[in-house]
Amino acid sequence: MGILNVFLQAFSSTFLLGALTVLLLIYLISSASFSTQDPPGPRPLPLFGNLLQMNLKRPYKTLLELSKKYGSVFTVYLGPQKVVVLAGYKTVKEALVDYDEVFGDRDPILIVHQMNHGNGVVWSNGDSWKEMRRFALTNLRDFGMGKRACEDKIIEECQYLIEVFKKFKGEAFDTNQRLSYAVSNIICSIVYGSRFEYNDPEFTSLVDRMSRAAKLLGSPSVQMYNMCPALLSWIGARKELLEMSATSSKQNLGIFSHLKETLNPQMCRGFVDAFLLRKQTLEVGISVTCQVCSLKLLTEAQGETTSTTLRWGLLLMAKYPKIQDEVQEELTRVIGDRQVQVADTKSLPFTDAVIHEIQRLSSIVPTGIPHKTTEDIIFQGHSIKKGTTVFPLLTSVLHDPKEWERPHSFYPAHFLDNEKKFAKRDAFIPFSAGRRICLGESLARMELFLFFTTLLQHFRFTPAPGVSEDELDLTPAVGFTLSPLPHKL
């Protein structure tokens, strides 16, 4: 037995020494292969890359720190994957707008690719993406996105939400689910042709899965899986995400099939009907599976991002009551008791500035959605190869000290000129920029304005009893989007 132990120990030591030698050789070879024109960055370890340096709960914070050391264009290795990070307004704008063809492809996150198989207008590339985006934009506009018909839907939904808030009779409650249901109903009414009741289990399960998926996508375990899939395919979060995605796809397919069975060519109810009626005229064939995936992503992304921004807005109003006072004073003076409309935006410069500042400060998609280069390019003196993953660090733009007077403070004056009129800022790009700018930007802007102003007309938001304004925590929760920590107002 003693001899066996010695043998095993010797074998283990020899194996470990050999493994370390191989890793060292990989490290030396990879180090020697670096081009002096490559964007600089921290030296990666073999296989692990810069994993040990990353804050996996909030990776954007690590990237911001690295940008201070290595500049606005730098390289990190997420496991073995090379990623070029773009930081600061001028650099991100140059890449996404001035060189949009080169930086315009999408690089799917591994777990997302496994969930959607590369389908959908958000993650696809090439002719299929162009045709789907063109079709989606045309028909979403036809069904009211950014128009009066859509405004009426949002105003109607605001009334349902007000009644829900009134039921709490001033007692503290979590706004999360209620806002998610209200916002998700808007895109559902555009896509499917009708809204859902807030107690409809089919609807609530769809929205609740969306919120859960956003948290899991940004969790450390899923990020580790994306970097080292061969080692971590067993993790529970991956299995849960795949199961939730399959359930949502099945649910959307069921709604899709029902709409197909009840289709009336004389009465187009929504986006799905438009797809079914015009599918034969598309230049590139888009399968039902692909379209269902697009619809799933549209409803999930639109509902999650807009409701999260509104939650930040109400939390910030409770934390900064003097700003809430100014918003409500402006609403009372300009609007009175009537319903706010989009046409009132120019007459409400302070309120509009507050909404923009909520979006800027919350920066809910801090790293942006990954891009990929379509060809080799020399960018700001650095060589970036075709097919390289690129992170446009949106939070570095929205918090760029060269562009914003108080980048890390809630300061609505960022969007006001000397005459207290609303002032646009070039560095305000929460929806990204270039050819991959958010498909639902116009809808999101309308939703944020109408929901926020209507709620502030009817309610005053304060911390829960026993919690001071100073105790309201603005630290974001861990997730793919940065949402507030659980709280009650």
Side-chain angles (χ1 to χ4, degrees):
M1 195 67 179
I3 295 174
L4 180 60
N5 283 336
V6 170
F7 173 78
L8 289 173
Q9 288 175 6
F11 174 79
S12 300
S13 299
T14 303
F15 178 79
L16 179 62
L17 181 61
L20 289 173
T21 302
V22 171
L23 290 175
L24 180 60
L25 287 171
I26 294 173
Y27 178 69
L28 293 173
I29 292 169
S30 62
S31 298
S33 66
F34 289 156
S35 165
T36 55
Q37 283 190 304
D38 283 347
R43 185 70 69 184
L45 293 172
L47 302 181
F48 294 100
N50 301 117
L51 181 60
L52 301 181
Q53 295 164 270
M54 298 295 296
N55 176 350
L56 290 179
K57 288 187 176 180
R58 295 180 175 86
Y60 62 93
K61 287 197 169 185
T62 303
L63 299 179
L64 284 171
E65 287 302 313
L66 290 173
S67 71
K68 294 175 183 177
K69 181 176 181 179
Y70 295 104
S72 61
V73 184
F74 64 95
T75 303
V76 292
Y77 281 81
L78 303 181
Q81 183 186 21
K82 179 180 180 179
V83 175
V84 170
V85 181
L86 308 176
Y89 167 63
K90 290 183 178 179
T91 296
V92 171
K93 185 256 184 185
E94 183 180 357
L96 299 189
V97 178
D98 299 344
Y99 293 96
D100 62 334
E101 289 292 333
V102 180
F103 289 93
D105 264 12
R106 188 67 78 206
D107 190 30
I109 300 168
L110 177 60
I111 185 65
V112 174
H113 183 75
Q114 292 173 347
M115 291 162 65
N116 300 317
H117 309 290
N119 292 321
V121 70
V122 177
W123 296 102
S124 59
N125 291 307
D127 290 339
S128 175
W129 168 74
K130 290 178 182 177
E131 188 62 39
M132 276 193 292
R133 185 176 176 90
R134 188 183 304 117
F135 179 80
L137 279 172
T138 300
N139 287 281
L140 286 173
R141 285 170 185 155
D142 286 349
F143 289 99
M145 189 173 78
K147 295 182 179 180
R148 179 72 204 191
C150 187
E151 181 175 357
D152 291 341
K153 291 183 196 306
I154 299 169
I155 289 172
E156 179 188 12
E157 201 63 44
C158 284
Q159 304 312 309
Y160 288 112
L161 185 60
I162 286 168
E163 293 307 312
V164 170
F165 276 26
K166 282 182 178 178
K167 289 179 181 178
F168 289 94
K169 298 180 179 179
E171 302 225 351
F173 69 101
D174 188 336
T175 61
N176 184 13
Q177 274 192 331
R178 286 87 190 173
L179 288 172
S180 293
Y181 295 162
V183 173
S184 295
N185 248 337
I186 305 302
I187 192 69
C188 283
S189 66
I190 293 172
V191 169
Y192 302 126
S194 63
R195 67 179 297 278
F196 293 86
E197 295 298 326
Y198 294 162
N199 59 359
D200 184 329
E202 182 175 41
F203 174 63
T204 57
S205 64
L206 189 69
V207 179
D208 292 346
R209 275 197 303 274
M210 166 191 78
S211 298
R212 173 65 178 160
K215 289 181 175 61
L216 287 178
L217 281 171
S219 65
S221 60
V222 169
Q223 291 189 69
M224 287 280 289
Y225 167 73
N226 287 329
M227 297 178 201
C228 306
L231 300 176
L232 296 168
S233 60
W234 50 269
I235 63 169
R238 172 183 179 266
K239 182 180 178 182
E240 185 179 353
L241 276 169
L242 293 176
E243 289 175 349
M244 286 194 298
S245 178
T247 301
S248 291
S249 293
K250 183 178 179 181
Q251 191 172 351
N252 274 279
L253 187 59
I255 298 172
F256 195 99
S257 298
H258 173 72
L259 291 171
K260 186 176 181 180
E261 291 169 4
T262 57
L263 183 66
N264 178 357
Q266 307 304 316
M267 187 182 70
C268 203
R269 295 162 293 188
F271 185 88
V272 173
D273 282 8
F275 169 74
L276 291 169
L277 290 171
R278 303 180 196 180
K279 183 175 183 295
Q280 300 303 318
T281 67
L282 296 178
E283 296 172 13
V284 179
I286 302 176
S287 68
V288 169
T289 301
C290 190
Q291 188 62 23
V292 166
C293 184
S294 278
L295 297 175
K296 180 168 76 76
L297 289 170
L298 275 173
T299 51
E300 290 174 351
Q302 183 67 30
E304 172 64 20
T305 53
T306 306
S307 63
T308 295
T309 305
L310 284 169
R311 287 179 66 208
W312 278 116
L314 300 186
L315 178 62
L316 286 163
M317 291 302 94
K319 189 169 182 67
Y320 299 105
K322 290 183 179 179
I323 293 178
Q324 184 173 189
D325 288 341
E326 289 189 63
V327 170
Q328 293 183 318
E329 185 280 326
E330 186 177 64
L331 286 169
T332 300
R333 174 168 43 83
V334 177
I335 306 299
D337 294 331
R338 71 170 173 83
Q339 171 63 50
V340 183
Q341 298 177 346
V342 172
D344 296 316
T345 304
K346 289 184 179 180
S347 303
L348 299 168
F350 184 78
T351 302
D352 198 16
V354 167
I355 294 170
H356 280 70
E357 182 67 355
I358 291 165
Q359 291 179 270
R360 185 199 69 81
L361 186 66
S362 60
S363 182
I364 64 170
V365 188
T367 57
I369 299 178
H371 288 238
K372 182 172 62 177
T373 50
T374 59
E375 59 184 77
D376 294 351
I377 184 174
I378 300 297
F379 182 73
Q380 295 191 0
H382 304 293
S383 175
I384 303 176
K385 300 295 184 185
K386 178 181 178 180
T388 299
T389 302
V390 176
F391 283 6
L393 196 57
L394 295 187
T395 193
S396 72
V397 179
L398 296 172
H399 298 154
D400 190 337
K402 296 178 182 177
E403 300 293 331
W404 308 98
E405 295 79 10
R406 301 183 187 179
H408 304 295
S409 300
F410 186 55
Y411 187 59
H414 281 139
F415 296 93
L416 295 170
D417 63 18
N418 293 333
E419 297 178 354
K420 303 297 181 182
K421 294 180 180 178
F422 182 81
K424 292 183 179 180
R425 299 291 291 263
D426 291 339
F428 180 72
I429 56 167
F431 301 100
S432 193
R435 65 193 297 206
R436 289 288 183 166
I437 194 168
C438 176
L439 188 67
E441 178 183 0
S442 62
L443 174 61
R445 288 181 183 275
M446 186 180 280
E447 287 174 331
L448 289 172
F449 180 76
L450 291 172
F451 275 114
F452 183 78
T453 54
T454 303
L455 289 173
L456 267 290
Q457 272 188 304
H458 288 81
F459 304 103
R460 181 166 184 80
F461 294 89
T462 63
V467 179
S468 70
E469 291 147 7
D470 292 339
E471 290 175 311
L472 288 177
D473 193 353
L474 299 183
T475 304
V478 175
F480 185 73
T481 54
L482 299 185
S483 62
L485 291 167
H487 63 278
K488 292 183 178 182
L489 298 177

